[in-house]
């Protein structure tokens, strides 16, 4: 009985992680695919292949390592593609996917990325994670303006459940919000449909200008803005797994599925934090069950890839954002404690946190990367001055 009661929050955490992942960036991926000239049927096939790829990789890696290893597509990469693929043919787009994923696989085989990740101090990794998640935490409260009944009921349910049954706080939040949204007519059921669309193989074309102008920036953004935060998130959550094997597995699988529209399979950061939090499971060694549940939901989403956009349109955005923010509060507070606990590293950590939270993009690369760079410079300089 006890094990089953512990399993339900883990399954729910996996569901919320997948829901948040799709809700936050599925629309961006559709825009990127449309910019490349893909038809509606082809885009639905891409969503199918992406869901299956993320589901297989999440299930396999979480089971193998018995750790919550959640994979995801590269949201920053999708945003870059959406603005860079105008005038690029569909065959050339597939060539870009293959080129970028081959470079990621090469990084894993050579161990270059693993050596870079070892240089990141734990306090800076935690600060970067807190900075990445800050805007999600803020959304849990900012949505009260304009959605006071829906978001207020969710917040009230979370506070009450957190006081009396903390393990089920997110369950209570989801149910309370769902009932209020349903009663208020905010869930548009006529947009929900279920259809299976098989991925279509597209032969690639490689052109030097496209690979350099789109493929190389896409590779750099994916590694700096998705994989680096993903590994830092795992490290900050207490799962310092070997980097290279994970890069080889995810990069290799993405390379294999590239002709079917899988532009990337990366280590997740924001959604992974939901599965790596104490709310997912009180036992650190059992939180991999939450990621495994997410893998199963990924597969389900992949099978019905053609229905994802309709499902996202049916759910109120404020409900999704509030649910995600409240689910991540424990991770945000824990990350801030780890980041600022060591007084000698506090200044560098707060620089990392604020730079990451700023959301700035420099040279096409997101703030998470620049937060680590600036914080790392401060860390090295301050440490050297203290030793001197």
């Amino acid at each position: 009985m006890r094990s089953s009661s512990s399993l339900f929050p883990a399954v729910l955490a996996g569901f919320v992680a997948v829901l948040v992942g799709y809700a936050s960036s599925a629309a961006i991926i559709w825009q990127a695919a449309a910019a490349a000239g893909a038809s509606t049927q082809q885009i639905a096939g891409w969503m199918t292949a992406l869901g299956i790829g993320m589901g297989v990789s999440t299930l396999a890696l979480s089971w193998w390592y018995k750790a919550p290893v959640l994979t995801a597509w590269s949201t920053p990469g999708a945003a870059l593609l959406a603005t860079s693929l105008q005038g690029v043919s569909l065959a050339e787009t597939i060539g870009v996917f293959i080129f970028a994923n081959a470079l990621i696989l090469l990084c894993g085989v050579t161990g270059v990325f693993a050596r870079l990740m070892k240089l990141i101090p734990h306090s800076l990794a935690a600060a970067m994670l807190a900075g990445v998640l800050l805007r999600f935490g803020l959304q849990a409260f900012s949505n009260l303006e304009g959605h006071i009944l829906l978001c207020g009921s969710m917040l009230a349910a979370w506070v009450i459940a957190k006081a009396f049954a903390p393990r089920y706080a997110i369950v209570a939040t989801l149910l309370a919000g769902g009932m209020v949204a349903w009663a208020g007519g905010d869930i548009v059921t006529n947009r929900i449909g279920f259809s299976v669309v098989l991925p279509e193989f597209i032969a690639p074309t490689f052109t030097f200008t496209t690979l350099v102008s789109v493929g190389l920036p896409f590779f750099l953004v994916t590694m700096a803005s998705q994989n680096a935060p993903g590994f830092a998130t795992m490290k900050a959550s207490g799962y310092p797994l070997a980097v290279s094997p994970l890069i080889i597995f995810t990069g290799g699988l993405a390379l294999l599925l590239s002709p079917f529209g899988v532009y990337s399979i990366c280590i997740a950061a924001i959604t992974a934090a939901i599965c790596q939090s104490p709310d997912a499971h009180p036992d650190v060694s059992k939180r991999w069950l939450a990621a495994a549940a997410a893998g199963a939901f990924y597969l389900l989403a992949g099978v019905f890839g053609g229905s994802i956009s309709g499902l996202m349109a049916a759910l109120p955005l404020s409900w999704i954002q509030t649910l995600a923010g409240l689910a991540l509060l424990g991770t945000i507070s824990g990350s801030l404690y780890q980041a600022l606990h060591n007084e000698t590293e506090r200044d560098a950590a707060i620089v990392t946190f604020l730079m990451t939270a700023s959301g700035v993009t420099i040279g096409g690369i997101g703030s998470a990367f620049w937060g680590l760079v600036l914080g790392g410079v401060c860390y090295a300089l301050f440490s050297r001055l203290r030793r001197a």
Side-chain angles (χ1 to χ4, degrees), residues 3-380:
S3 61
S4 61
S5 65
S6 299
L7 184 62
F8 183 65
V11 174
L12 184 66
F15 172 75
V16 172
V18 173
L19 178 66
V20 169
Y22 271 81
S24 62
S25 55
I28 300 175
I29 293 169
W30 276 71
Q31 291 174 33
S39 66
T40 302
Q41 191 81 354
Q42 288 171 327
I43 297 174
W46 286 21
M47 298 301 290
T48 298
L50 282 163
I52 292 173
M54 293 185 298
V56 169
S57 55
T58 295
L59 277 170
L61 293 172
S62 296
W63 177 81
W64 180 261
Y65 286 101
K66 293 298 185 290
V69 184
L70 198 71
T71 62
W73 49 48
S74 171
T75 301
L80 183 145
L81 291 174
T83 58
S84 304
L85 291 178
Q86 298 291 342
V88 178
S89 71
L90 198 56
E92 289 176 321
T93 299
I94 296 300
V96 167
F97 296 172
I98 292 174
F99 173 72
N101 287 322
L103 288 179
I104 292 172
L105 178 61
L106 184 63
C107 281
V109 172
T110 58
V112 171
F113 192 65
R115 288 192 288 273
L116 291 175
M117 290 303 299
K118 285 181 180 178
L119 298 176
I120 302 174
H122 184 73
S123 60
L124 299 194
M128 186 223 64
L129 175 58
V132 168
L133 300 181
L134 178 63
R135 68 182 179 92
F136 291 88
L138 293 174
Q139 284 174 348
F141 304 95
S142 62
N143 276 307
L144 288 169
E145 183 180 354
H147 305 89
I148 185 65
L149 181 60
L150 174 61
C151 301
S153 64
M154 295 176 74
L155 182 58
W158 182 85
V159 170
I160 294 169
K162 199 70 176 176
F164 297 101
R167 185 180 297 176
Y168 298 100
I170 298 303
V171 181
T173 304
L174 185 148
L175 292 177
M179 288 187 290
V180 172
W182 185 274
D186 293 327
I187 299 178
V188 187
T189 54
N190 62 355
R191 295 185 181 180
I192 301 177
F194 298 97
S195 60
V196 178
V197 180
L198 294 177
E200 175 187 334
F201 178 87
I202 301 172
T205 298
F206 301 97
T207 59
F208 180 77
T209 53
T210 304
L211 296 183
V212 172
S213 62
V214 181
L216 199 55
F218 172 64
F219 158 72
L220 293 173
V221 165
T222 298
M223 293 301 284
S225 299
Q226 185 64 56
N227 274 322
F231 282 105
T233 298
M234 284 203 301
K235 184 177 179 180
S237 300
Y239 301 97
L241 303 182
V243 173
S244 289
L246 296 182
I247 289 292
I248 291 172
F249 186 91
T250 54
L253 182 61
L255 179 61
L256 183 67
L257 297 177
S258 290
F260 298 96
V262 175
Y263 69 98
S264 70
I265 298 176
C266 306
I267 302 301
I270 296 165
T271 50
I274 297 174
C275 295
Q276 294 162 1
S277 72
D279 290 333
H281 202 288
D283 187 347
V284 176
S285 64
K286 297 291 181 60
R287 289 175 193 162
W288 70 273
L289 294 170
F297 286 119
Y298 270 144
L299 289 176
L300 190 61
V303 170
F304 296 104
S307 311
I308 293 301
S309 60
L311 179 61
M312 292 302 103
L315 296 168
L317 181 61
S318 58
W319 180 82
I320 294 171
Q321 291 178 339
T322 302
L323 182 67
L326 293 175
L328 288 166
L329 287 187
T331 304
I332 295 171
S333 61
S335 299
L336 283 173
Y337 174 79
Q338 294 174 48
L340 305 176
H341 181 64
N342 189 335
E343 186 176 353
T344 60
E345 301 176 3
R346 191 171 296 166
D347 290 332
I350 199 66
V351 167
T352 300
F353 168 69
L354 292 174
M355 183 66 183
T356 302
S358 71
V360 301
T361 299
I362 302 173
I365 299 177
S367 60
F369 173 79
W370 296 116
L372 285 176
V373 169
L374 187 57
V377 170
C378 293
Y379 179 90

